[in-house]
Amino acid sequence: MKGRSWLILCLTTITLVLLSSCAFNLFANLELRNLLTSGTVGQRLEAASNALSGGNYDAAIALAASVINERLKLELNVEVLEKLLDSTSTVYDLAQAIQSATVTEDVLDAVKILVEAVALKTEKDIANLAPEVIQILQELGIELTPSKSKSKGSNFWAQFETNAGTIVKFLAETFDGRYTLKLLTSGYYLIATNATDNTLPAVLCSLYDIGYMFNLLLDLNHDGNVTDEKFVKDVITNPASIVEFSQQATSGLYNDIEDCREFIQAYEILKEMFGILHIQATFTTLDATDLSNTRYISDVFEILFGE
C-alpha cells in the first residue's frame, strides 16, 4: 500500500505540474492575443522588447510586426502575425514594405526588435556568424577595419577559388531561407540608413544582403534553400574544382527576370552599405536582361568582377 501511495502522489504531482504548465502557456497566449488585438503601440513595443530579452522570439516577432503592420497599413491579421515566419509570401511582402517605408521612431524601434528576434530564432544572429565571417574575410584578404577595408578587385575570384570549400560550405549552411534573408537585409537597411550609429547595422545588412544574392544565384529549384543544390554539394566535396563546376552549373538567375531584378536591387543595397562603411570596391552596372540571359554561374561572376 505504501508503494501504491507513493505512486499516486508522484502521478498527482506530475499531473499538477503539467496542468500548471498548460495553464501558464494558455495565459501567455491569451495575453499575447490581447496585446495584438487591443494593445497600444507603446504597450506592444514594450512587450516585444521584454519578450526578446526573455528569449520568447515568436512573441517578439509577432508584437514588433504588429506595430509595423499598423503603421505601414499592411492589413495582416492576428493569426498571420502569430506565425509570421511560416508564410514566405508574407515575409517577402513585409520585407518589401520595410525597405520602402517612411520611417517613424516607433517603426524604427519595431524593426530593430523584429530583425534581432528573427536572427536569433533562425540562428542567423551575429554571435553565431561572427567567427566564420571574420575567418572568411581574412581568407579573402579583406581588412576588417572599415576605414581601411579594400576589395581585392580582380584578385577576389582567385582568392575565392583558393578558399572555396570553406566559403561555400558556410554560405550554404548560413544562407538557406531566402525570404528570411530578405527580411533581415531590408530591416537592417532601414536601420543603417536612419540610425545615428549605423556601422554595425550596415555590416549586418551587407552580410545578409550578400547571402540573399548568393541564394538567388545558386537556388535552381526555387525552394529558397541552397544546401540541396548540386553545385554547392560538388564544391564542398571537391573545392579545387570550383571553376569547372561554376562553368557547368546553371545560374539561378537564368531565364528568371524577377530574380534578376531582386539581385540588382540587392547589389545596389550592397553598394550603399559599402559607402557607409567606407569600403573601397569596384561595382559595375548590372542589367536584368543580361543577367537573365547569362546561363552559367561563372559568367555571372565575370560580370560582377570583370573577369
Side-chain angles (χ1 to χ4, degrees):
M1 284 295 292
K2 189 173 181 180
R4 184 180 176 188
S5 298
W6 273 108
L7 178 61
I8 291 172
L9 178 61
C10 290
L11 290 173
T12 302
T13 303
I14 291 169
T15 301
L16 288 173
V17 170
L18 290 173
L19 287 175
S20 64
S21 176
C22 291
F24 177 80
N25 288 336
L26 179 61
F27 174 77
N29 289 338
L30 287 173
E31 186 180 31
L32 175 62
R33 177 63 65 94
N34 287 336
L35 280 168
L36 290 173
T37 54
S38 58
T40 66
V41 166
Q43 288 172 334
R44 280 177 278 157
L45 282 174
E46 182 180 3
S49 180
N50 291 337
L52 178 62
S53 298
N56 188 350
Y57 304 132
D58 287 323
I61 290 167
L63 289 162
S66 73
V67 173
I68 298 167
N69 177 52
E70 179 179 324
R71 291 303 193 223
L72 303 187
K73 305 185 187 311
L74 302 179
E75 300 183 354
L76 302 177
N77 61 41
V78 171
E79 290 75 15
V80 168
L81 292 170
E82 288 176 324
K83 297 182 181 294
L84 185 70
L85 296 185
D86 291 348
S87 171
T88 54
S89 59
T90 302
V91 172
Y92 182 85
D93 291 341
L94 181 62
Q96 291 286 85
I98 289 173
Q99 198 165 302
S100 58
T102 299
V103 180
T104 59
E105 186 176 350
D106 48 17
V107 168
L108 188 60
D109 288 342
V111 170
K112 288 177 181 177
I113 294 170
L114 177 67
V115 292
E116 187 173 350
V118 170
L120 287 166
K121 179 177 174 60
T122 59
E123 297 185 345
K124 297 184 188 298
D125 62 297
I126 191 63
N128 285 332
L129 301 182
E132 291 188 76
V133 172
I134 291 170
Q135 178 188 352
I136 288 170
L137 291 176
Q138 289 173 335
E139 288 176 349
L140 291 175
I142 297 175
E143 296 290 337
L144 299 178
T145 305
S147 61
K148 297 180 180 178
S149 297
K150 294 184 179 182
S151 165
K152 280 289 188 179
S154 62
N155 291 330
F156 180 89
W157 180 234
Q159 291 287 333
F160 192 97
E161 292 172 31
T162 303
N163 302 288
T166 302
I167 297 168
V168 173
K169 185 175 187 295
F170 169 76
L171 292 174
E173 293 174 348
T174 306
F175 297 131
D176 274 350
R178 177 184 300 185
Y179 296 101
T180 299
L181 291 168
K182 183 171 179 61
L183 178 58
L184 291 170
T185 297
S186 299
Y188 281 112
Y189 174 81
L190 181 138
I191 297 168
T193 52
N194 290 278
T196 303
D197 184 5
N198 58 6
T199 299
L200 181 57
V203 170
L204 291 171
C205 180
S206 300
L207 173 65
Y208 297 123
D209 189 51
I210 290 170
Y212 185 60
M213 292 173 69
F214 267 93
N215 194 297
L216 288 165
L217 178 63
L218 303 180
D219 183 20
L220 275 179
N221 60 9
H222 299 285
D223 65 349
N225 297 320
V226 295
T227 48
D228 55 354
E229 297 297 337
K230 184 178 184 299
F231 172 74
V232 172
K233 293 177 180 177
D234 286 344
V235 173
I236 292 173
T237 303
N238 186 8
S241 299
I242 184 174
V243 174
E244 180 183 349
F245 294 145
S246 69
Q247 292 169 344
Q248 298 169 352
T250 301
S251 162
L253 304 175
Y254 184 58
N255 284 338
D256 193 330
I257 197 71
E258 289 304 317
D259 276 4
C260 290
R261 290 180 181 135
E262 282 289 312
F263 189 87
I264 292 172
Q265 187 178 36
Y267 189 70
E268 293 300 316
I269 288 175
L270 191 62
K271 285 168 63 175
E272 195 168 347
M273 293 304 104
F274 273 29
I276 290 174
L277 296 169
H278 307 293
I279 295 175
Q280 299 176 20
T282 301
F283 290 90
T284 188
T285 301
L286 299 180
D287 179 81
T289 302
D290 289 344
L291 285 174
S292 179
N293 291 330
T294 303
R295 179 156 193 170
Y296 298 108
I297 289 174
S298 61
D299 296 329
V300 176
F301 272 98
E302 287 179 6
I303 292 173
L304 293 174
F305 299 108
E307 297 174 24

